[in-house]
Amino acid sequence: MTPAGQDKLRTAAGTLGLTLTDHQVDQCATVYDELVLWNEKVNLTKITGEDEAIVKHFVDSFTPVQILTDEERSQPLRMIDIGTGGGFPAIPLLILFPHWQATLVDSVGKKLNFVRHALETIGIKAEVLHMRAEDLAHQKERRERYDLAIARALADLPVLLELTLPFIKVGGRLIAMKGKAVADEVARASKAIHMLGGGNPVTTSLVLPDDVGERSLISVAKLKATPALYPRQAGTPQAAPLV
Ligand code: SAH
């Protein structure tokens, strides 16, 4: 990442109320450089231009700070990023909160080779798992165990809820990262939320710097344990969403 890009990253993060340390800026720059290199071999992202990647990958991944509580920020939170792809939002969030105990999951192993490499290069420890969420969520040591599940661009909300809520302990929450205009999607998800043990969704809208557009953070508290049936077997949540 160029020095101008690093300045841009600091300024853009500032719009979210974040003051990045030199070390955090270095870590983001390293991840960006590695992402561009690896993207020549592995399809990690369509967004590789520096300015665009800074806002759409790094700053966008930071946006949950707008709704995280002081306690969530400061604790060794158990966090799971489902469908992390090239590591977003988990890697930027771990750059902010390296004391979190994170699990990063994706069903595509090649992307995770990058994620492992990137984390190792910047000296952050996290668990990286090549699994489908539908299978992982039925493992006893994974189910109802996380304080925070997070997902960006994973699926339509009713599907996303089935793939993520089973991982969250009662008292924890989901943050789903979406584009603008999510009211219809949230309305269509009310049956799934109810069936899976979620509370009323709270949507926070925000605007990314550089006129890149609006984003929505949908927070769903986990109120009750998810019935053992969910998630249904791999492929079913997508083929027959809970709507
Ligand atoms: N969160 C990343 C990637 C989004 S693309 C980002 O915002 O940049 C969606 C990712 O979810 C893909 O990498 C895909 O492989 C993964 N994915 C889709 N369905 C999944 C499932 N059922 N279990 C695990 N990963 C899944």
Side-chain angles (χ1 to χ4, degrees):
M1 191 182 285
T2 62
Q6 298 186 23
D7 285 345
K8 185 187 177 78
L9 176 67
R10 277 181 208 277
T11 308
T15 67
L16 297 172
L18 289 169
T19 307
L20 299 181
T21 63
D22 290 349
H23 182 55
Q24 288 169 329
V25 172
D26 275 353
Q27 288 177 311
C28 292
T30 300
V31 172
Y32 170 72
D33 293 344
E34 294 296 321
L35 182 73
V36 172
L37 275 178
W38 278 62
N39 209 42
E40 289 171 13
K41 298 170 286 177
V42 183
N43 181 20
L44 296 165
T45 177
K46 292 195 193 84
I47 303 163
T48 55
E50 185 172 274
D51 284 355
E52 206 185 356
I54 287 167
V55 179
K56 291 192 178 171
H57 283 323
F58 291 91
V59 179
D60 187 47
S61 293
F62 291 153
T63 58
V65 299
Q66 299 244 297
I67 59 169
L68 289 171
T69 63
D70 289 345
E71 199 186 343
E72 286 170 321
R73 291 167 182 238
S74 60
Q75 298 295 309
L77 207 72
R78 288 205 65 180
M79 182 272 269
I80 185 164
D81 179 4
I82 313 281
T84 191
F88 299 97
I91 294 178
L93 286 172
L94 285 169
I95 289 173
L96 298 180
F97 308 115
H99 51 281
W100 281 4
Q101 295 175 27
T103 302
L104 286 61
V105 183
D106 205 281
S107 53
V108 177
K110 278 190 283 187
K111 297 184 182 183
L112 297 179
N113 292 337
F114 167 75
V115 170
R116 286 193 193 93
H117 168 77
L119 287 168
E120 198 179 297
T121 308
I122 60 173
I124 286 179
K125 290 212 179 337
E127 180 181 41
V128 179
L129 296 177
H130 177 205
M131 287 282 284
R132 290 193 72 138
E134 294 93 319
D135 301 321
L136 190 67
H138 287 287
Q139 294 183 359
K140 191 167 173 285
E141 65 278 14
R142 305 282 168 194
R143 197 176 175 85
E144 316 267 345
R145 291 295 162 94
Y146 292 87
D147 303 299
L148 174 68
I150 202 154
R152 186 180 84 155
L154 172 62
D156 193 39
L157 196 54
V159 177
L160 187 156
L161 288 159
E162 186 170 349
L163 298 180
T164 58
L165 280 180
F167 289 100
I168 307 169
K169 56 171 93 150
V170 171
R173 65 152 147 174
L174 164 71
I175 298 177
M177 302 176 62
K178 291 275 179 180
K180 63 173 177 178
V182 289
D184 288 353
E185 197 177 337
V186 171
R188 267 190 302 111
S190 63
K191 181 175 162 189
I193 290 177
H194 183 73
M195 291 173 78
L196 298 165
N200 286 340
V202 178
T203 302
T204 303
S205 303
L206 52 105
V207 180
L208 287 179
D210 274 11
D211 290 328
V212 159
E214 273 175 53
R215 296 289 186 274
S216 309
L217 301 171
I218 304 165
S219 172
V220 178
K222 182 84 177 255
L223 299 184
K224 287 187 295 188
T226 302
L229 173 67
Y230 304 108
R232 293 164 293 164
Q233 76 176 47
T236 305
Q238 301 80 354
L242 300 173
V243 286

